[in-house]
Amino acid sequence: MKVSLDWLNSDYVDLSDLSHEQVAEKLTMGAFEVEEVTVHGSDLEGPVVVGEILEIHQHPNADKIRLTRTRVKAGDEPLDIVCGAQNIEVGQIIPVALPGAKVVNRHDGSPLPIKASAIRGVKSNGMLCSAAELGIACDDKFGEGILVLADKDSPKKSGFTLGADARELLQIKPDHIMHVEPRSNRGDALCVAGLAREIAALFNRPLKQPTWNLEQYENKEAKVGTIYSVKLENEEDCPFFSLIPIKGVKVGPSIPEISKRLEAIGVRPVNNVVDITNYVMHELGQPLHAYDAAKLSGSSMGVRRARAGEKLTTLDEKVRELTPEVMLIVDDDTAIGVAGIMGGKDSEISDSTTDIYLEAACFSQAVVRRGSRLLGLSSDASLRFERRVDVASVFHAARRAAYLIAHYCGASGPAQVGKAMMAGSDKVSDVFLTLRLSAVKRLLDIEVTAERVRELLSPLGFKVEAGESGQLKIAVPSFRQADVTREIDLIEEICRLNGYDAIAATMPKGIVCRQAKDDTLVKAQGALVGMGLSEAWCSSLVPASENGINEDYLVQVLNPLSKDHQYLRQSLVPGLVHALAHNLDRGQKKVALFESGRVYFKDWEEPAPDNKSDNRQERSAKLFAKEINRLAAIICQADKQSSEKADFYTMKGVLENLLSGLAISLAADKVNWQAASVPGLHPFRCAALALNRPPKKGSDHSDKVGIFGNPMVLGYVGQIHPSYAHAMGIKEEAFVFEIDLDRIGAERKAAKFSEIANTPSMVRDLTIDFSKEVLEKQNDINHQNIVRLIMRSGSKNLVDVQLVSVYQSEGAAHTYRLTFQNPSETLTGEEVDNLVKEVKSQLTKQLNASFRA
Amino acid sequence: MSTQDLEKNIADLESSALSAIAKADSLENLEQVRLNLLGQKGELTGILRGLSALDKSERPRIGQLANVVKVKIEEAHEARKEALFQSHIDSKLKAEALDVTAPGRIRALGHVHPLSQIREEILSVFYSMGFEVADGPEIESDYYNFDALNTPASHPARDEQDTFYTNLGANVLLRSQTSTVQIRVMEKNPPPLRIVAPGRVYRNEEVNARKYPLFHQVEGLLIDKAVTFGQLKGTLTAFIQALFKKPLKTRFRPDFFPFTEPSAELDSQCPFCNGKGCKTCGGRGWLELLGCGMVDPNVLKGAGIDPEEWSGFAFGMGLERLAMLKYGVNDIRHFYTNDLRFLEQF
């Protein structure tokens, strides 16, 4: 909302001794944030003085420019000033801008600083000013050329003192416009008078009121048009409606006193009558509407809901399709306006209007808001109704506007204001609240007396009465009855008016912290960043076409912003694939990203609970969907020459490293890898990591969906399916993993020390051959099974098995390095040979392995 | 051989041996010299062996003489060996000279997302002040998102134009603020309470440089006996000073939120210009950083806490806003595009 400081100052509260910065600062710190202050009108900087032209000479170097000698102070030597205007004559009194002044560039309105300078080789010590250069050329009455204050022989000439401030003389004073952020709960302050009340209270100054008297223009007998009553469909939609007939109006040009103020706050003047309805709306916060009485034909005007399919052309000449959620103003039954939002085209006043009806009403905040949203139409009026207008003040505003219309817009003499028609009630009952001074002390830690409370609250219209010991009885004014309903609301007002700054900053006592911060995520970030992956944050709102979506458990947004933000994701992988494609498109070669975030599934255990339940424990225990914390990563190396490879085993290594860093045991007796099938991944390059036994806790995370449907699965690793990659424009092989962070968190183990053996260890390399026939026959020959068999058959003295190489030609040859150690005694070569022999025999027996001589 | 000859031989051997040792110019030569003298078939070894043929009376004297020479030779050999070894090391080291200004061989580290970084900084400060980290669902009911937060049924924020609703029921939405966690925590745990809750929130807003349909907040709540507005000021001022590591001034400006009363916007003296006015703060010297206020008695009551016995304050801040200010990021979409050229700057 824009508010003119000049308007406030001349009509409502004397601020003449304060700068606009002081007023803005006070308002900002008093809950009405001033976002900016703009200058309206000329912002001249001095010195601009009254001067007299003593001589005029031709400029030696230019035809159209002349050289004057102008006196700017009685008794002083006249100054040489060059002037290009043609209307100057010796003896004229004119405004002169001296060096250091800032006037207006008449070509573009920008500030024009005046300096002593040479113009075509002749020194000029200032500038003779035109009206435009003084910023007062808003109408043409000053004409072209230099503004002549008095001609040579004018009798007025003696009234001017040379050297006097021309700005003061011409009353050139800029107005400052404060842009105040409207407060959703403070409709009462969305106008000059309301804001003035706040300012008066904040500065502790008296509030003024403009004086006017409607009675002089009232004529109960004045009859206008055909309407003789007003009626309401229901008083919830519209608690109060008033219509004032005004007879003998001449619609004409804007009234300068009115339009000047409207222009200052950015409201376009329309005509004298409409300007007044706008003026009063900005002054008192009450939207008003003037109808041309001749364009209405019913006997009554009223308010009702629109019927489905009903149409109306609004003032902006758009045809509006209406629904029963929209409230209408009707002429008998004919729609003539959308109540509280915008009037209709057909009953608009025009040049030929002579009689009008002036409507002022109070409409339901919720209905106006809903209607405004539905129609996609908001106006200064709807903005105010949405924030609540005070029903008790409606008629006052109507009378104010009627007065101004009668006063300024009469066809011959003042117009006549007829008897108002009203429906509903504008009576508001008193609301009293009790304020305990002890409660102020308890929350704000400040001591206030009853007297202080009265001092603070009275200027805002509250009536403070003494109550029983330490308690005050406070009457809330009608315009604050929506936002001040409890003691705490009064405490807030006291806090605000007394100043937030007046409360000393202290620290709370005691320390409460029941539980240490979970470090799983921070540890994981550290490990992954250490391995060269960067963290991504992807959108959790995804398109329906996203890979791997399970429709049955999908959480859908019913009112999405766009198709791209329609569903909640069920996997982190698609977001990372998008990010990969984005980066490859922009020329990145190596892309390594990870993300930790939630995935969402419709709850398969129970329907959405009724959250209105009164049992807090029960209510807060219930969730509406499964929200599961996952961690996923993607890597891709587009540069084939690079030494940093990125293949399936790179990604698997990153995952294994990460899990080790999180203290998850990857020992064969704890977890296993198994070939897995995951939508969107390569069918033969994907493995799931699963616990060997069901988890003790966290089993409630069983997603039921996809690979995580198995509660033992911690995560998977694999290659993006070539056709998925192709669809995403990714030409390279890309690898991903995704793990369930909640399950991982539950499996993390605290480190535990085991004794370090001092006996020497012995190492044997073992190459195991599998023939082509064996490989074809047996599909259980893989690393994990080989290692497990070796470990099982190598006794407890076999402490480590590492894969050294795999060589594949006709058959396959796996070389493993076996480490033997007995912590309590040194093993002999013979003992180790026997252990290796047993390993070999088991491998031969169970996996049909053979060994070279 | 006569005793005299033998003595002469020993003397000759001493001088020739010392000269040979001195002349040896490599460890290999020196070793050869040593073998020639002291090895199995070495000259001195031969002489020492020949002592047995001497007269018993002469043997000790000559033997001692030969031993003195042997010791001298051995000492000379050791000294020469040490010298040669040192010069060998010196030349080897010299040959190993590196261009120490050449770059290190690294495996590039990844980067933690700026929103993660700022979230951790915020949580760490509050953790040090005794606040626990709490968590809550993003898919919420209108009860937790609005009703319990004292937001009237007619409040514009409830409109579909502002809040996303879901297929899980007419009352189930994507939370538009992390304040929901306040309520869940209060319902589950008795006061006193100190929590901070980071999380993702959603608002139905067109995507542009300043807005995205999802963003992130950190919410805070402190409930105890005799909590005052002054403590709210103190705590949040301490937080701002710890976050920016500067003794910045703060100012609390009255504002309105349904779930706190009195409510305030916290302005911090701009940490980039120390309040002098710069581009970041738009010349104002102040930056609006977070919203806060005393928990509304209706909110406490709804969560089963007696507002006459307990009081508290709550606050909320946007991670994106803080990160944009802190790092000078000019477009919110950078945070979710995951362009490496962006991520690698943090």
Side-chain angles (χ1 to χ4, degrees):
Chain A
M1 178 184 61
K2 293 184 190 170
V3 185
S4 146
L5 204 58
D6 192 38
W7 191 346
L8 281 166
N9 182 50
S10 22
D11 287 12
Y12 284 97
V13 55
D14 186 356
L15 302 169
S16 51
D17 58 326
L18 298 170
S19 71
H20 64 87
E21 289 95 345
Q22 285 171 305
V23 178
E25 171 76 7
K26 198 75 166 178
L27 266 179
T28 295
M29 295 308 288
F32 294 91
E33 189 183 358
V34 177
E35 290 165 326
E36 75 173 311
V37 178
T38 51
V39 178
H40 179 76
S42 174
D43 191 13
L44 294 191
E45 283 178 27
V48 182
V49 300
V50 173
E52 181 181 6
I53 301 173
L54 300 183
E55 298 166 29
I56 299 179
H57 304 288
Q58 194 54 46
H59 190 288
N61 305 323
D63 289 347
K64 293 201 171 165
I65 302 178
R66 287 184 288 173
L67 186 60
T68 72
R69 286 180 63 74
T70 302
R71 174 168 282 153
V72 294
K73 195 173 175 198
D76 269 16
E77 188 62 18
L79 301 174
D80 289 334
I81 297 177
V82 170
C83 179
Q86 300 308 305
N87 68 330
I88 52 170
E89 285 170 29
V90 171
Q92 282 171 337
I93 300 289
I94 38 73
V96 185
L98 297 176
K102 215 177 259 176
V103 298
V104 179
N105 183 332
R106 68 194 156 94
H107 300 296
D108 60 10
S110 65
L112 178 66
I114 303 299
K115 290 176 286 198
S117 59
I119 296 176
R120 300 239 177 150
V122 176
K123 182 131 194 227
S124 182
N125 294 303
M127 186 167 96
L128 310 188
C129 299
S130 71
E133 283 153 349
L134 295 175
I136 52 176
C138 36
D139 37 11
D140 295 333
K141 68 181 171 197
F142 298 111
E144 291 274 310
I146 300 304
L147 175 63
V148 179
L149 301 173
D151 276 319
K152 186 184 173 203
D153 302 321
S154 164
K156 285 198 298 182
K157 198 173 157 181
S158 59
F160 290 96
T161 312
L162 297 189
D165 191 336
R167 294 175 300 164
E168 215 164 275
L169 197 72
L170 293 164
Q171 292 187 315
I172 302 169
K173 203 180 76 179
D175 189 5
H176 288 91
I177 310 302
M178 296 186 291
H179 300 235
V180 182
E181 195 186 324
R183 296 278 306 272
S184 62
N185 63 334
R186 290 298 307 275
D188 67 290
L190 204 55
C191 60
V192 178
L195 215 53
R197 187 164 50 227
E198 294 291 325
I199 294 171
L202 290 165
F203 281 110
N204 197 16
R205 296 185 170 205
L207 192 62
K208 304 187 281 185
Q209 295 292 342
T211 51
W212 49 277
N213 170 12
L214 178 62
E215 280 87 31
Q216 55 183 317
Y217 306 133
E218 277 182 314
N219 174 3
K220 303 278 184 234
E221 306 308 316
K223 286 279 176 287
V224 157
T226 57
I227 292 187
Y228 65 86
S229 74
V230 289
K231 58 184 181 192
L232 302 174
E233 191 176 66
N234 75 66
E235 292 189 13
E236 262 170 46
D237 281 2
C238 176
F240 178 72
F241 187 92
S242 72
L243 200 63
I244 300 181
I246 305 176
K247 193 178 174 66
V249 169
K250 169 82 186 109
V251 177
S254 297
I255 315 291
E257 292 95 313
I258 303 280
S259 61
K260 196 179 117 198
R261 285 184 166 176
L262 291 179
E263 275 183 300
I265 57 170
V267 177
R268 187 177 53 87
V270 179
N271 58 46
N272 53 357
V273 174
V274 171
D275 284 356
I276 287 171
T277 60
N278 281 333
Y279 182 89
V280 173
M281 175 171 70
H282 284 96
E283 182 183 35
L284 300 176
Q286 172 64 46
L288 300 153
H289 190 73
Y291 298 90
D292 184 339
K295 292 179 181 166
L296 303 181
S297 56
S299 60
S300 106
M301 188 183 284
V303 180
R304 66 161 168 83
R305 293 295 185 99
R307 289 183 273 268
E310 209 170 345
K311 283 183 186 156
L312 173 71
T313 306
T314 42
L315 276 176
D316 55 5
E317 307 198 354
K318 289 199 176 112
V319 180
R320 306 281 172 178
E321 294 242 15
L322 308 170
T323 75
E325 289 184 83
V326 176
M327 218 177 349
L328 293 178
I329 308 290
V330 288
D331 169 22
D332 277 349
D333 192 53
T334 312
I336 54 171
V338 183
I341 302 176
M342 194 176 273
K345 184 77 191 150
D346 294 344
S347 53
E348 189 184 12
I349 60 164
S350 67
D351 291 351
S352 58
T353 302
T354 58
D355 298 337
I356 62 175
Y357 291 116
L358 181 68
E359 171 215 306
C362 176
F363 298 111
S364 150
Q365 287 173 262
V367 180
V368 171
R369 182 166 54 81
R370 186 87 192 128
S372 165
R373 298 268 173 139
L374 278 174
L375 297 174
L377 177 63
S378 76
S379 61
D380 279 339
S382 67
L383 185 82
R384 285 170 171 79
F385 284 118
E386 281 178 36
R387 286 172 171 75
R388 185 180 185 266
V389 306
D390 174 29
V391 69
S393 311
V394 172
F395 199 57
H396 172 75
R399 287 173 57 83
R400 167 81 169 142
Y403 162 79
L404 290 172
I405 291 170
H407 185 78
Y408 285 111
C409 313
S412 53
Q416 294 177 50
V417 177
K419 188 167 184 295
M421 295 168 265
M422 291 182 235
S425 165
D426 63 351
K427 298 286 171 288
V428 171
S429 35
D430 288 340
V431 171
F432 290 97
L433 297 176
T434 302
L435 175 74
R436 295 164 299 167
L437 296 176
S438 62
V440 179
K441 168 77 179 153
R442 188 170 83 92
L443 283 179
L444 304 183
D445 201 16
I446 51 171
E447 304 279 357
V448 287
T449 59
E451 195 40 51
R452 179 66 179 150
V453 171
R454 185 173 294 117
E455 205 175 280
L456 291 171
L457 294 182
S458 301
L460 293 183
F462 292 88
K463 290 198 182 68
V464 180
E465 298 168 20
E468 289 174 23
S469 57
Q471 299 201 349
L472 302 177
K473 194 177 158 198
I474 296 177
V476 182
S478 61
F479 50 84
R480 295 299 300 278
Q481 286 180 5
D483 77 298
V484 180
T485 59
R486 301 167 298 161
E487 181 184 53
I488 188 70
D489 302 319
L490 291 170
I491 294 174
E492 179 182 48
E493 287 297 285
I494 290 166
C495 186
R496 176 171 78 91
L497 294 163
N498 193 53
Y500 281 21
D501 287 344
I503 295 172
T506 56
M507 286 302 276
K509 294 172 187 64
I511 294 290
V512 185
C513 193
R514 286 171 240 241
Q515 177 181 320
K517 236 163 88 188
D518 178 29
D519 64 348
T520 306
L521 182 56
V522 172
K523 277 233 159 79
Q525 282 171 334
L528 290 167
V529 162
M531 289 186 275
L533 287 83
S534 288
E535 190 185 14
W537 282 37
C538 300
S539 172
S540 40
L541 293 169
V542 297
S545 56
E546 201 71 68
N547 181 70
I549 287 280
N550 183 308
E551 306 264 347
D552 294 343
Y553 301 108
L554 200 53
V555 180
Q556 182 182 352
V557 174
L558 296 178
N559 54 329
L561 190 66
S562 73
K563 283 188 172 167
D564 288 341
H565 300 99
Q566 211 169 352
Y567 298 98
L568 283 152
R569 64 183 172 192
Q570 293 180 336
S571 164
L572 301 184
V573 168
L576 290 174
V577 171
H578 274 287
L580 169 63
H582 171 93
N583 281 292
L584 290 175
D585 278 352
R586 279 152 190 81
Q588 296 285 352
K589 294 290 178 215
K590 166 106 192 271
V591 179
L593 294 168
F594 72 95
E595 182 184 14
S596 79
R598 294 186 188 183
V599 295
Y600 312 81
F601 297 92
K602 195 162 139 184
D603 203 317
W604 43 83
E605 280 160 15
E606 49 193 338
D610 169 18
N611 69 339
K612 309 281 183 199
S613 153
D614 282 336
N615 184 326
R616 287 185 197 95
Q617 288 297 326
E618 216 169 87
R619 184 172 62 206
S620 64
K622 281 182 177 170
L623 299 177
F624 302 90
K626 297 281 186 198
E627 297 184 27
I628 296 159
N629 291 300
R630 296 252 183 97
L631 175 72
I634 194 162
I635 55 168
C636 179
Q637 174 59 276
D639 180 4
K640 293 283 168 277
Q641 313 303 317
S642 169
S643 58
E644 282 184 53
K645 276 195 358 186
D647 62 12
F648 178 85
Y649 295 110
T650 312
M651 186 87 278
K652 194 176 174 207
V654 169
L655 177 55
E656 287 171 330
N657 242 347
L658 168 68
L659 294 174
S660 303
L662 292 175
I664 302 293
S665 170
L666 295 175
D669 59 335
K670 297 284 193 305
V671 295
N672 63 81
W673 291 98
Q674 44 201 250
S677 158
V678 172
L681 296 195
H682 192 302
F684 299 103
R685 290 185 173 183
C686 177
L689 176 66
L691 296 167
N692 291 348
R693 303 180 268 287
K696 285 185 205 78
K697 40 184 181 170
S699 55
D700 56 325
H701 276 114
S702 150
D703 307 12
K704 239 187 183 173
V705 183
I707 189 156
F708 288 102
N710 174 353
M712 293 188 286
V713 167
L714 297 177
Y716 62 86
V717 56
Q719 180 181 339
I720 295 294
H721 196 292
S723 55
Y724 179 20
H726 178 78
M728 294 297 299
I730 298 169
K731 293 186 191 72
E732 319 297 332
E733 292 185 343
F735 303 88
V736 293
F737 72 68
E738 183 169 34
I739 55 176
D740 183 320
L741 263 193
D742 298 327
R743 288 181 190 170
I744 297 288
E747 292 301 320
R748 289 182 65 190
K749 295 271 186 298
K752 200 161 178 261
F753 173 73
S754 56
E755 195 57 57
I756 299 163
N758 279 321
T759 52
S761 60
M762 296 185 79
V763 172
R764 295 291 160 90
D765 282 357
L766 181 63
T767 297
I768 310 161
D769 289 315
F770 296 101
S771 68
K772 195 178 163 202
E773 294 71 34
V774 167
L775 288 175
E776 274 165 9
K777 240 186 352 226
Q778 273 182 271
N779 58 10
D780 58 345
I781 293 174
N782 62 35
H783 166 80
Q784 182 169 272
N785 287 340
I786 294 169
V787 169
R788 289 185 167 197
L789 185 55
I790 294 174
M791 285 304 286
R792 267 205 310 275
S793 44
S795 90
K796 66 177 184 354
N797 290 333
L798 173 57
V799 293
D800 188 40
V801 179
Q802 291 293 331
L803 178 66
V804 177
S805 66
V806 177
Y807 175 76
Q808 272 164 324
S809 58
E810 286 287 284
H814 294 240
T815 301
Y816 287 91
R817 178 156 298 160
L818 282 56
T819 306
F820 295 91
Q821 188 176 36
N822 181 336
S824 48
E825 59 183 54
T826 303
L827 292 170
T828 65
E830 197 180 341
E831 283 171 313
V832 172
D833 289 343
N834 285 335
L835 290 174
V836 173
K837 203 182 280 176
E838 174 59 17
V839 167
K840 284 180 172 176
S841 100
Q842 288 299 325
L843 284 167
T844 308
K845 202 162 110 193
Q846 300 198 24
L847 293 176
N848 291 312
S850 54
F851 298 91
R852 294 161 207 193
Chain B
M1 197 183 287
S2 72
T3 310
Q4 282 83 1
D5 289 344
L6 195 54
E7 281 182 67
K8 186 173 181 298
N9 278 358
I10 290 172
D12 289 348
L13 182 61
E14 179 185 351
S15 68
S16 70
L18 291 179
S19 132
I21 286 171
K23 274 188 204 141
D25 59 356
S26 72
L27 287 168
E28 293 77 25
N29 286 348
L30 183 65
E31 181 63 8
Q32 196 55 53
V33 171
R34 189 188 68 84
L35 288 174
N36 291 345
L37 293 165
L38 303 170
Q40 292 282 321
K41 294 174 182 164
E43 289 179 64
L44 188 60
T45 314
I47 288 171
L48 289 172
R49 227 177 253 138
L51 289 182
S52 57
L54 284 182
D55 187 273
K56 248 185 189 163
S57 62
E58 290 288 3
R59 224 181 283 165
R61 191 179 59 85
I62 301 296
Q64 199 187 0
L65 188 72
N67 260 329
V68 167
V69 170
K70 185 185 177 196
V71 168
K72 270 191 191 163
I73 290 171
E74 279 173 349
E75 280 172 357
H77 168 261
E78 274 311 307
R80 183 64 187 152
K81 188 176 166 187
E82 184 60 33
L84 283 174
F85 186 72
Q86 197 54 52
S87 91
H88 168 76
I89 290 286
D90 286 350
S91 61
K92 183 164 186 272
L93 290 179
K94 200 171 175 203
E96 287 171 357
L98 292 179
D99 176 358
V100 294
T101 66
R105 190 178 302 113
I106 55 164
R107 181 177 174 123
L109 290 179
H111 298 261
V112 175
H113 196 282
L115 294 178
S116 279
Q117 294 192 26
I118 205 137
R119 179 183 60 196
E120 270 321 294
E121 287 175 34
I122 293 166
L123 296 184
S124 298
V125 174
F126 282 112
Y127 189 67
S128 73
M129 295 199 274
F131 286 74
E132 278 177 54
V133 178
D135 196 12
E138 292 168 25
I139 298 167
E140 261 296 4
S141 65
D142 55 359
Y143 177 79
Y144 287 103
N145 202 66
F146 295 123
D147 299 57
L149 290 164
N150 199 33
T151 310
S154 64
H155 198 279
R158 290 180 181 243
D159 276 6
E160 288 180 6
Q161 275 87 347
D162 292 303
T163 300
F164 290 122
Y165 287 86
T166 71
N167 61 334
L168 303 183
N171 61 329
V172 183
L173 45 77
L174 304 185
R175 69 175 173 195
S176 61
Q177 49 196 357
T178 44
S179 312
T180 52
V181 183
Q182 285 181 25
I183 309 298
R184 285 185 178 269
V185 167
M186 283 192 280
E187 286 184 341
K188 275 191 204 132
N189 308 284
L193 293 167
R194 287 188 192 198
I195 56 126
V196 273
R200 181 168 285 193
V201 301
Y202 301 82
R203 292 197 190 158
N204 197 346
E205 291 180 320
E206 285 296 332
V207 178
N208 61 36
R210 295 266 139 197
K211 286 179 175 172
Y212 201 75
L214 55 89
F215 58 101
H216 303 84
Q217 294 182 326
V218 174
E219 186 79 9
L221 174 74
L222 184 150
I223 306 281
D224 211 328
K225 296 200 169 162
V227 176
T228 65
F229 193 82
Q231 293 174 3
L232 158 77
K233 289 179 68 175
T235 304
L236 293 178
T237 301
F239 160 68
I240 293 296
Q241 294 178 346
L243 186 69
F244 290 103
K245 301 176 180 71
K246 279 185 182 182
L248 298 169
K249 289 200 183 83
T250 54
R251 102 184 159 174
F252 291 76
R253 216 164 11 84
D255 204 335
F256 171 77
F257 308 112
F259 38 93
T260 50
E261 188 152 4
S263 306
E265 285 285 349
L266 185 160
D267 291 343
S268 159
Q269 207 178 26
C270 175
F272 305 99
C273 60
N274 294 322
K276 287 189 200 76
C278 64
K279 208 177 141 204
T280 307
C281 61
R284 289 185 198 93
W286 294 100
L287 281 178
E288 185 179 316
L289 291 186
L290 57 87
C292 56
M294 302 298 289
V295 181
D296 193 288
N298 283 356
V299 173
L300 293 174
K301 257 183 263 170
I305 295 174
D306 179 3
E308 292 295 321
E309 188 183 353
W310 303 93
S311 56
F313 60 78
F315 50 88
M317 63 197 92
L319 287 186
E320 279 82 354
R321 174 171 173 74
L322 287 173
M324 287 172 92
L325 285 173
K326 180 167 179 183
Y327 304 117
V329 175
N330 55 8
D331 190 325
I332 198 169
R333 288 168 290 199
H334 282 306
F335 292 120
Y336 323 108
T337 309
N338 302 309
D339 192 311
L340 283 168
R341 294 166 299 178
F342 173 79
L343 297 174
E344 284 169 358
Q345 295 182 35
F346 301 96

